[in-house]
């Protein structure tokens, strides 16, 4: 009787061991498959944007998302290098990029980004490099959904957050988007139609808005002799003669306040465009032909806001 009991116990233990080993092996196999998808996704992204992306350890699946940590990014052609503490993205979100196609959904987050090297004498790159040299990092996100059968892209948000109260965010609804847009974005942009577009540049510091100041620095490089006072005078005249035809009330007053604050903008900025019938992006090119602003923006509602702490007010 004791022998039979001992034998049954051994058989049970052996069965449990075999079952556990098999289940563990199966789970590890599935895990390797999931991780392989994450590894491939990061490789597809690197190939698309023509950079080298090297994480400290292989990307892995964590709670339904792919995760890569301590990532080095090198763009040899442009001379840009980045370090990123952590990159996460939704499972299979990057996979379609291997065929040059837009994914149906992408939620990409980059945390702790520092630009360690970039082209010299470029205000935007200089700002980011100096920001990193001061020991600070920023975050970047990209979140969109794409309906390939309708050619509709819902950009929930593309954002930069500098953790000093300064951030920028773009959201939009676009039509006429081709599934193969990533292959040739320079060409793919031409058929795009804007249904709505929102830009928010936020600063918690009521004395200045560093990102808007950066925009002013970039603007100085585009106008003759960097004459910002002359630009402000011309912009004020343009607002009175042209912009007043498509904007009014608080929206127009906000633009006037922004221009009057140049070259030291202090407030948050909100710009929102809505086109009930859609606005072909090619019509922006009419500005270069000398077409009047009121004609160029026909069918578009333009809203603007500029004041301290505006971002808190609209959210």
């Amino acid at each position: 009787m004791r022998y039979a009991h001992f034998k049954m116990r051994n058989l049970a233990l052996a069965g449990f061991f075999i079952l556990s080993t098999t289940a563990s092996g199966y789970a590890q196999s599935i895990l390797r498959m999931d991780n392989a998808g994450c590894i491939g996704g990061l490789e597809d992204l690197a190939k698309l944007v023509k950079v080298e992306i090297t994480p400290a350890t292989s990307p892995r699946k964590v709670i339904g998302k792919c995760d890569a940590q301590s990532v080095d990014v090198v763009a040899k052609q442009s001379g840009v290098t980045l370090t990123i503490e952590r990159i996460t993205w939704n499972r299979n979100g990057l996979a379609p990029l291997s065929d040059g196609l837009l994914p149906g959904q992408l939620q990409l987050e980059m945390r702790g980004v520092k630009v360690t090297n970039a082209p010299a004498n470029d205000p935007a790159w200089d700002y980011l490099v100096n920001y990193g040299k001061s020991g600070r990092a920023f975050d970047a996100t990209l979140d969109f959904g794409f309906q390939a059968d309708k050619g509709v892209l819902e950009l929930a948000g593309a954002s930069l957050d500098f953790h000093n109260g300064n951030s920028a965010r773009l959201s939009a609804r676009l039509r006429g988007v081709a599934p193969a847009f990533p292959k040739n974005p320079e060409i793919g942009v031409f058929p795009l139609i804007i249904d709505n577009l929102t830009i928010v540049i936020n600063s918690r510091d009521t004395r200045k808005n560093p990102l808007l100041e950066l925009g002013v620095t970039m603007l100085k490089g585009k106008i003759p002799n960097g004459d910002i006072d002359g630009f402000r005078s011309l912009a004020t005249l343009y607002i009175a003669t042209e912009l007043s035809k498509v904007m009014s009330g608080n929206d127009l007053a906000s633009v006037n306040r922004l221009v009057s604050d140049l070259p030291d903008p202090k407030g948050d900025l909100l710009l929102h465009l809505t086109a009930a019938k859609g606005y072909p992006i090619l019509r922006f090119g009419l500005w270069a032909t000398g077409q009047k602003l009121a004609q160029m923006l026909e069918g578009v509602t333009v809203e603007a806001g500029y004041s301290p702490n505006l971002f808190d007010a609209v959210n």
Side-chain angles (χ1 to χ4, degrees):
M1 187 72 179
R2 287 182 179 179
Y3 174 76
H5 176 72
F6 178 77
K7 187 174 182 180
M8 289 296 294
R9 187 180 67 179
N10 282 357
L11 285 173
L13 289 172
F16 178 76
F17 176 77
I18 292 171
L19 181 61
S20 299
T21 302
T22 303
S24 176
Y26 177 74
Q28 289 180 15
S29 176
I30 293 297
L31 184 60
R32 283 194 296 270
M33 290 173 62
D34 284 341
N35 289 347
C38 292
I39 295 169
L42 205 59
E43 291 173 347
D44 294 334
L45 177 62
K47 183 179 179 180
L48 178 70
V49 297
K50 297 180 174 61
V51 299
E52 295 177 4
I53 301 178
T54 308
T57 57
S58 293
R60 58 197 179 97
K61 183 181 177 183
V62 180
I63 316 179
K65 289 187 176 184
C66 291
D67 182 288
Q69 299 187 25
S70 300
V71 182
D72 291 328
V73 180
V74 178
K76 291 183 178 179
Q77 292 184 350
S78 62
V80 175
T81 60
L82 312 173
T83 61
I84 306 172
E85 290 181 5
R86 187 175 190 180
I87 304 177
T88 60
W89 64 98
N90 56 305
R91 180 81 170 95
N92 296 324
L94 297 176
L97 298 180
S98 62
D99 296 320
L101 301 176
L102 281 170
Q105 183 181 33
L106 179 61
Q107 295 173 320
L108 178 68
E109 298 182 4
M110 294 183 286
R111 305 293 180 186
V113 183
K114 290 183 180 179
V115 180
T116 55
N117 191 55
N121 302 317
D122 182 295
W125 285 123
D126 288 345
Y127 178 85
L128 295 176
V129 170
N130 291 332
Y131 194 82
K133 286 181 178 179
S134 67
R136 296 175 292 176
F138 63 93
D139 296 341
T141 65
L142 177 61
D143 183 356
F144 68 78
F146 176 58
Q147 302 175 58
D149 57 332
K150 298 179 180 179
V152 174
L153 188 143
E154 296 275 1
L155 178 60
S159 68
L160 296 173
D161 185 353
F162 288 88
H163 298 290
N164 58 356
N166 210 199
S167 63
R169 184 175 183 86
L170 168 69
S171 59
R173 186 179 193 274
L174 306 173
R175 289 184 285 121
V177 183
F181 181 85
K183 286 184 178 179
N184 295 294
E186 298 86 355
I187 298 175
V189 71
F190 292 124
L192 297 186
I193 296 174
I194 301 172
D195 285 336
N196 59 68
L197 183 147
T198 302
I199 298 173
V200 172
I201 300 178
N202 174 45
S203 176
R204 304 287 180 180
D205 189 342
T206 57
R207 298 166 299 175
K208 62 180 181 178
N209 188 320
L211 286 180
L212 285 182
E213 289 177 352
L214 173 60
V216 172
T217 301
M218 297 172 69
L219 176 64
K220 286 181 178 179
K222 302 295 183 181
I223 58 179
N225 302 316
D227 183 8
I228 199 69
D229 291 332
F231 173 84
R232 184 173 56 242
S233 298
L234 290 174
T236 301
L237 177 61
Y238 193 81
I239 291 169
T241 58
E242 290 295 326
L243 201 59
S244 60
K245 297 177 182 177
V246 295
M247 300 177 69
S248 60
N250 291 332
D251 299 312
L252 189 63
S254 292
V255 178
N256 269 312
R257 284 196 300 272
L258 172 60
V259 171
S260 65
D261 274 354
L262 296 179
D264 301 307
K266 303 174 181 62
D268 300 340
L269 176 65
L270 167 67
L271 179 64
H272 181 65
L273 307 180
T274 306
K277 296 182 179 179
Y279 185 83
I281 203 166
L282 277 178
R283 285 179 61 185
F284 281 117
L286 296 176
W287 206 336
T289 67
Q291 184 167 356
K292 298 297 185 181
L293 185 65
Q295 295 174 323
M296 191 182 76
L297 292 179
E298 184 178 359
V300 178
T301 300
V302 183
E303 300 171 84
Y306 174 75
S307 67
N309 301 319
L310 174 68
F311 187 78
D312 294 335
V314 299
N315 286 279

